Amino acid sequence: MVTDKPGYEHLIQFLTEHLSLFEQRGPVVAGAKTLGEVLEESIAEQIIQLCTQHTELEMNHRSMIVREVDGILYDFQEVLASVLEEPATEQQTELIQEISLLIKNLFDTAVAALMD
């Protein structure tokens, strides 16, 4: 659906272009979530919003989306494996949120094509 499309490749490229941000340690807010937590929560929020917006999706479509998102999350966790347990900085959190929005946009486009 999405992971075999050029947009997904651009998403991975976007992440790799910004990997240096994850090598830097900046100011961390006390009690900050880990990068892994921020990544999972941010992507989950966007996919919940996607499914809420697209009420016409059948259960099998939603299941397919969840499987694909799991694959994307796994890929991102592999790329960021060495820093997933580190507290997220504000800049890292912003980048993860931007990536999560890009993921949602990819799925919005795929859902629109599916419903045509």
Side-chain angles (χ1 to χ4, degrees), residues 1 50 54 56-57 65 107-116:
M1 180 180 197
L50 172 90
H54 295 281
E56 72 279 10
L57 286 172
I65 290 169
F107 279 94
D108 276 329
T109 301
V111 167
L114 180 68
M115 296 299 151
D116 281 342

Side-chain angles (χ1 to χ4, degrees), residues 2-112:
V2 169
T3 54
D4 59 349
K5 304 264 193 251
Y8 179 69
E9 293 170 8
H10 293 300
L11 188 61
I12 294 294
Q13 182 181 357
F14 181 76
L15 176 62
T16 55
E17 288 173 359
H18 292 86
L19 277 179
S20 62
L21 180 63
F22 295 98
E23 296 167 357
Q24 304 167 7
R25 297 307 323 150
V28 176
V29 178
K33 295 179 181 181
T34 66
L35 282 167
E37 291 169 330
V38 171
L39 182 64
E40 288 177 12
E41 290 175 8
S42 185
I43 291 174
E45 283 176 15
Q46 292 303 318
I47 298 309
I48 289 169
Q49 186 175 7
L50 172 90
C51 290
T52 302
Q53 289 173 337
H54 295 281
T55 56
E56 72 279 10
L57 286 172
E58 297 175 12
M59 187 56 72
N60 62 328
H61 295 132
R62 292 172 195 264
S63 295
M64 187 170 41
I65 290 169
V66 169
R67 282 192 303 275
E68 292 224 17
V69 169
D70 281 345
I72 292 170
L73 184 58
Y74 177 81
D75 290 347
F76 278 49
Q77 288 170 329
E78 286 291 308
V79 171
L80 299 173
S82 64
V83 294
L84 283 177
E85 297 304 317
E86 298 291 326
T89 66
E90 188 174 321
Q91 284 183 315
Q92 292 165 339
T93 299
E94 288 173 7
L95 180 64
I96 289 171
Q97 289 171 342
E98 185 175 345
I99 288 170
S100 297
L101 287 169
L102 292 172
I103 291 170
K104 181 184 179 291
N105 288 342
L106 281 176
F107 279 94
D108 276 329
T109 301
V111 167

